[in-house]
Amino acid sequence: MDLVVRGRRVLTPQGWRAAEVGVRDGVIVEVADLGAGLDATETLELAEDEVLIPGLVDTHVHVNQPGRTEWEGFASATRAAAAGGVTTIVDMPLNSVPPTTDVAALDVKRAEAEGGVHVDVAFWGGAVPGSAADLAPLHDAGVMGFKCFLVDSGVEEFGHLDAAELERDLAELARLDALMVVHAEDPGVIGAAPEPHGPRYADFLASRPPAAEEAAIATLLGAAARTGARVHVLHLSDAAALPLITRARAEGVRVSVETCPHYLTLEAEDVPDGATAFKCCPPIRGAANQDALWQGLLDGAIDIVVTDHSPSTPDLKALDTGDFGEAWGGVASLQLGLAAVWTEARSRGVALEQVVRWMSTSPAALVGLDRKGAIAPGKDADLAVLAPEDSFDVDPARLHHRNPVTPYAGRRLTGVVRRTLLHGRTITDVPTGTLLRRGDA
Ligand SMILES: [Zn+2]
């Protein structure tokens, strides 16, 4: 074997084990009891305070290259991912120019990423008005599924679908057995809410009410029920929408749900006025809502936790004026997601293996990356060495994100990623990530 990793706490699908993990050609070939003495060219012994977990799979990342590479790019995003224990990302189809709404645009993205990524990278396609004929070709070209918006996306080149277009596209995706992932806020409800303006967080919160999520999710669930398509609710913020989803699921609708680290760890009550680093859509809501999101995760109503890493340049965050109406909406946390969620989980008595399921195993399953998300024979040797009781203070200068604007600045987080391995090799400054197509891995 090329590598054996030995540790007292290795997370396997059967639970924690004192184990030796044997790797050949980038793939886990054996998991044996510690002491078995697996033989390999290279050996990695975990320290007493370290555990071995599968690398995280983050299915919601905006890389923005090409077109808005000053916001983020493949090299910087994947370096941040690696530093945070993330070994696979799935890139969102928008904020790059061109957006990934046809095969030519996907080819452009793949060419930009090729040879320059530090973790494995897969791609979402985009579903926009008038793009129905491009869905099947993009599916055949290997995207993991399709993203659409039901409300203004924030960038003009990526339009949103109305209810009729959504249903037409879902019928096509049902035929392809492809997944539609949806930004679910309702434009009518948001249009009727007060416009966001000025530095008060409460005013911003009032501009994106929970009812906007509930209305859009109801629209989506209706269309999913009629077409039989598989749908996924992106970045759920409003926990009150969960009963709608669980009811639909019980009736046979194929729906899954994600939430994000910022909704699980940050609270509206604590957002300082003018602190536009906290602006995202849908917004970070109050503490009681956050408790209900955690309950949703524990109940199984929410399937996965992924970052929605969506950076921009500091000037677009309107840091100087602190105006929530002007600021770009997006939180960048690819490097911090695991530590942020684990810190909160730990304080709530939630086990690390649950966090790993939500952030690695289940996201891999969502997009069908069958060789990711577990430490078991036959899986890719994508691994993170974590010191779960070690802590650090978030220093933006130490983030690899191109624009290290973060609402976590100064926070003490628990859980230090000491090393990340991709295909059995420690991730270094040399990019060794691969580009994944649906069905590849
Ligand atoms: Zn997003």
Side-chain angles (χ1 to χ4, degrees):
M1 284 181 251
D2 305 316
L3 169 72
V4 59
V5 186
R6 298 198 175 96
R8 304 210 66 80
R9 293 186 73 210
V10 174
L11 185 58
T12 72
Q14 294 76 38
W16 294 102
R17 268 179 84 179
E20 305 189 356
V21 179
V23 177
R24 188 185 301 127
D25 296 332
V27 176
I28 298 168
V29 290
E30 193 171 348
V31 180
D33 287 337
L34 188 63
L38 297 186
D39 190 39
T41 317
E42 191 191 339
T43 301
L44 174 60
E45 306 265 358
L46 300 196
E48 281 297 314
D49 66 340
E50 293 173 347
V51 304
L52 189 70
I53 60 174
L56 270 55
V57 176
D58 193 334
T59 53
H60 196 151
V61 178
H62 295 266
V63 175
N64 307 328
Q65 181 180 351
R68 290 192 178 88
T69 308
E70 69 278 16
W71 293 15
E72 189 66 283
F74 285 104
S76 50
T78 56
R79 206 183 279 264
V86 178
T87 48
T88 302
I89 64 170
V90 188
D91 173 53
M92 279 293 171
L94 75 156
N95 302 345
S96 58
V97 182
T100 321
T101 51
D102 57 33
V103 172
L106 177 65
D107 289 343
V108 168
K109 272 216 179 169
R110 295 181 64 95
E112 289 276 329
E114 188 76 60
V117 291
H118 299 268
V119 302
D120 282 357
V121 177
F123 298 90
W124 293 107
V128 295
S131 78
D134 292 304
L135 300 176
L138 269 172
H139 178 73
D140 292 341
V143 296
M144 298 288 121
F146 296 87
K147 182 190 195 172
C148 72
F149 276 73
L150 301 183
V151 69
D152 181 15
S153 75
V155 294
E156 62 178 319
E157 69 277 0
F158 199 95
H160 66 277
L161 302 182
D162 64 24
E165 289 163 326
L166 171 70
E167 191 150 340
R168 259 199 317 271
D169 283 356
L170 286 184
E172 170 73 346
L173 296 196
R175 189 181 71 78
L176 300 170
D177 192 28
L179 177 67
M180 181 74 100
V181 304
V182 182
H183 182 123
E185 287 184 287
D186 184 88
V189 176
I190 288 185
E195 291 251 336
H197 64 89
R200 287 192 58 227
Y201 188 74
D203 289 341
F204 170 60
L205 198 52
S207 76
R208 317 287 296 205
E213 289 188 69
E214 290 153 30
I217 288 169
T219 300
L220 174 65
L221 294 172
R226 287 187 294 276
T227 57
R230 284 191 294 136
V231 300
H232 175 78
V233 177
L234 297 164
H235 48 51
L236 183 83
S237 166
D238 167 31
L242 286 171
L244 284 175
I245 294 167
T246 45
R247 204 176 313 132
R249 214 179 249 155
E251 290 165 0
V253 176
R254 300 157 82 199
V255 56
S256 53
V257 192
E258 72 184 36
T259 190
C260 306
H262 37 278
Y263 303 128
L264 295 170
T265 65
L266 305 173
E267 293 155 25
E269 292 88 340
D270 298 338
V271 178
D273 287 343
T276 51
F278 290 79
K279 178 178 175 179
C280 55
C281 298
I284 293 161
R285 305 190 192 277
N289 180 73
Q290 181 184 101
D291 291 342
L293 289 174
W294 276 98
Q295 194 56 50
L297 277 165
L298 294 169
D299 293 345
I302 300 174
D303 301 275
I304 67 172
V305 179
V306 288
T307 60
D308 191 9
H309 178 78
S310 185
S312 71
T313 50
D315 59 310
L316 292 176
K317 277 306 253 182
L319 298 173
D320 48 346
T321 63
D323 189 319
F324 280 98
E326 288 171 19
W328 171 257
V331 170
S333 63
L334 190 49
Q335 190 172 333
L336 299 172
L338 173 59
V341 174
W342 167 232
T343 301
E344 184 74 23
R346 188 171 164 274
S347 77
R348 290 172 179 264
V350 176
L352 179 58
E353 54 267 35
Q354 291 267 53
V355 171
V356 173
R357 183 170 332 126
W358 298 325
M359 302 187 80
S360 175
T361 314
S362 296
L366 175 74
V367 293
L369 289 173
D370 296 337
R371 291 174 56 169
K372 307 294 190 186
I375 299 177
K379 304 287 183 182
D380 286 346
D382 298 351
L383 306 164
V385 176
L386 177 73
E389 302 303 322
D390 198 1
S391 60
F392 65 104
D393 295 325
V394 176
D395 173 3
R398 300 192 60 177
L399 298 178
H400 296 282
H401 311 157
R402 177 150 298 159
N403 295 288
V405 175
T406 172
Y408 297 100
R411 286 201 165 222
R412 171 148 299 186
L413 299 181
T414 301
V416 174
V417 175
R418 299 244 176 97
R419 181 196 290 255
T420 308
L421 296 95
L422 183 72
H423 302 289
R425 289 194 179 167
T426 296
I427 297 175
T428 63
D429 287 346
V430 180
T432 58
T434 57
L435 305 185
L436 303 174
R437 288 186 165 83
R438 183 179 43 79
D440 262 3

